[in-house]
Amino acid sequence: MTEPCIVPGVYQHYKGKKYFVLGLSKNTETGEVCVVYRPLYETDWAQLVHRNAAMFAEQVDVGGVQTPRFKLIAS
C-alpha cells in the first residue's frame, strides 16, 4: 500500500483549526504510519498528537463536496 505524501508544514483542518505537522512516525509493532502534529490554537503548546496517516490524508464530505480532511497551507 502506498503511503500518502504528507510533508511538514501548517495544515488547516476542514473545520477551520490549524496544526503544525512535524512529520510521520511508524509503530514498530504494527507498522502503522501516523502523522505527528501540534495544534496551533489555544491549547498546551507542548502537546503533540497523532493520527493515522491514511485518515489524515483522506477526503471528507462537507455539504456534498469532497474536501481534504487536512489541507497544507504553508510549508
Side-chain angles (χ1 to χ4, degrees):
M1 182 160 109
T2 304
E3 298 299 333
C5 181
I6 300 167
V7 299
V10 178
Y11 287 74
Q12 186 167 15
H13 188 267
Y14 75 95
K15 292 182 181 176
K17 291 186 177 178
K18 295 178 184 172
Y19 301 85
F20 182 79
V21 168
L22 292 119
L24 300 177
S25 68
K26 189 171 192 175
N27 184 307
T28 58
E29 296 293 321
T30 66
E32 178 185 38
V33 176
C34 289
V35 179
V36 179
Y37 56 102
R38 180 171 49 87
L40 294 177
Y41 54 89
E42 303 86 19
T43 188
D44 177 3
W45 282 91
Q47 178 185 10
L48 293 177
V49 294
H50 72 272
R51 179 185 296 251
N52 174 286
M55 182 184 284
F56 186 95
E58 74 183 354
Q59 299 283 312
V60 294
D61 184 287
V62 179
V65 176
Q66 291 295 304
T67 188
R69 180 180 299 278
F70 288 90
K71 178 181 175 183
L72 179 64
I73 59 173
S75 56

